[in-house]
Structure formats: structure tokens, C-alpha cells
Amino acid sequence: MKLTATEIEIAGILEKDARLTNDELAKMTDLSVDQISQIVKKLEDQKVIVRYVSLVDWTKIDGHQGVTAMIDVKVTPKRDVGFNEVAKRIYRHKEVKSVYLMSGTYDLSVQVEGQSVNDVAHFVSQKLSTIEGVISTTTHFVLKKFKHDGTIYDSDDRDKRIVVSP
């Protein structure tokens, strides 16, 4: 789909801050509120804007930290559908937050969230590894999130043990 430079600009602005009102967008782009409304509606209708989200730093809330894992998955692609069928079977699980087709040693990169390491281990051993076409998995647990989707997460006193040498 071909978009105008203005439509691309508005999509970029909203990607950085989806809470901006149409009035604020109009002032930022020198367009009328009605023009902004029409452009945003078009971007939503065309699924350029897929959804609006908030980034939450769960580490700041006692008892809600959870566990995130990045799982490298090797698969055997299916004839006529390639990796799509296996990817669909993976992303349908509620624990799965994202699935990417990758170049390199592994075929898919899967981001999973659970309440504990055991939850993630159960998902890998009982659900992911049993999917037809999955050959092997390698699980990497996220120890600390420094930056996500362009947003830098604050550090606090607990982070003083992380030392960077010159």
C-alpha cells in the first residue's frame, strides 16, 4: 500500500506516543483535526496501525515480575506452506508474545512469558517441543530489560551491582 509522506509521518508519531490526541497531532503537523481524524481512521482501517499499546515495567510492581524467555526454534518446513504452519501452531499459545522467522542457525525466534521459570519450562517441554515439525529448541531467559521498543527502562539501586569497565 502506498501512503503519503504525511500519513507516514503521523504513523511514526503515533508509534512513539499513541496517547497523543488528534488536536495535538494537528498542531504538530499543521493539519486540521478533521484531516488528522481521517488519516488516523484510514491507518486503522488499513491495519497500518494494528493496535495501541502501553509498555509497563512490571519489575516495579511487587509480585508481578514474571519471566520472559527468548526461544530459538529449529523446524522442518512443510511442503507448500513453508514455516507458516508451524509458526501458526506456535503463536496460538497464550504464553507466546511474539514469533519471528529468522535467518541463521535457527528458523524461528519465539518470545514467551510466564509467571516462573517452571511455567516457561513446562511450555517448552509439553507444548512447544511436541509440535509437529519442531526439531529442537534453545531457551534464553531474560535477566534484565534495559531497552524495549525504543524505550529505555529506568535503573534503580538494585542495578548498582552492574558495573561497566572502560
Side-chain angles (χ1 to χ4, degrees):
M1 140 183 357
K2 192 88 168 150
L3 295 178
T4 67
T6 302
E7 293 167 339
I8 292 169
E9 177 187 13
I10 291 168
I13 292 168
L14 287 172
E15 183 179 37
K16 290 181 182 121
D17 187 356
R19 291 185 58 166
L20 291 172
T21 65
N22 287 351
D23 188 53
E24 292 169 319
L25 284 168
K27 289 175 186 170
M28 294 170 73
T29 59
D30 291 327
L31 296 172
S32 72
V33 173
D34 285 342
Q35 288 173 301
I36 292 293
S37 296
Q38 290 172 4
I39 291 170
V40 170
K41 182 173 179 358
K42 175 185 175 182
L43 295 173
E44 291 170 344
D45 290 347
Q46 298 291 323
K47 300 295 185 202
V48 172
I49 296 176
V50 179
R51 70 181 180 130
Y52 298 93
V53 299
S54 296
L55 291 178
V56 177
D57 188 351
W58 290 104
T59 64
K60 295 186 185 242
I61 303 170
D62 292 340
H64 287 85
Q65 287 81 6
V67 175
T68 302
M70 303 299 291
I71 305 170
D72 299 327
V73 183
K74 267 191 185 180
V75 303
T76 301
K78 282 184 133 183
R79 177 178 227 108
D80 299 325
V81 293
F83 297 100
N84 294 353
E85 187 64 35
V86 177
K88 281 182 187 177
R89 292 181 74 193
I90 293 170
Y91 71 59
R92 288 183 179 147
H93 291 280
K94 66 178 174 36
E95 299 89 344
V96 175
K97 300 306 172 197
S98 60
V99 178
Y100 302 98
L101 178 62
M102 305 296 288
S103 63
T105 306
Y106 289 87
D107 302 306
L108 299 174
S109 179
V110 179
Q111 182 181 353
V112 174
E113 291 180 0
Q115 289 300 310
S116 67
V117 171
N118 285 341
D119 286 346
V120 173
H122 181 266
F123 170 78
V124 173
S125 65
Q126 301 300 313
K127 296 179 182 178
L128 181 60
S129 65
T130 62
I131 293 174
E132 183 182 343
V134 171
I135 298 169
S136 68
T137 63
T138 302
T139 303
H140 310 273
F141 287 97
V142 174
L143 302 177
K144 179 172 175 36
K145 189 184 300 185
F146 292 98
K147 186 175 183 178
H148 181 77
D149 285 344
T151 300
I152 297 170
Y153 282 66
D154 289 333
S155 60
D156 61 20
D157 291 340
R158 291 177 289 165
D159 298 330
K160 289 183 180 173
R161 63 183 173 266
I162 299 173
V163 179
V164 178
S165 305

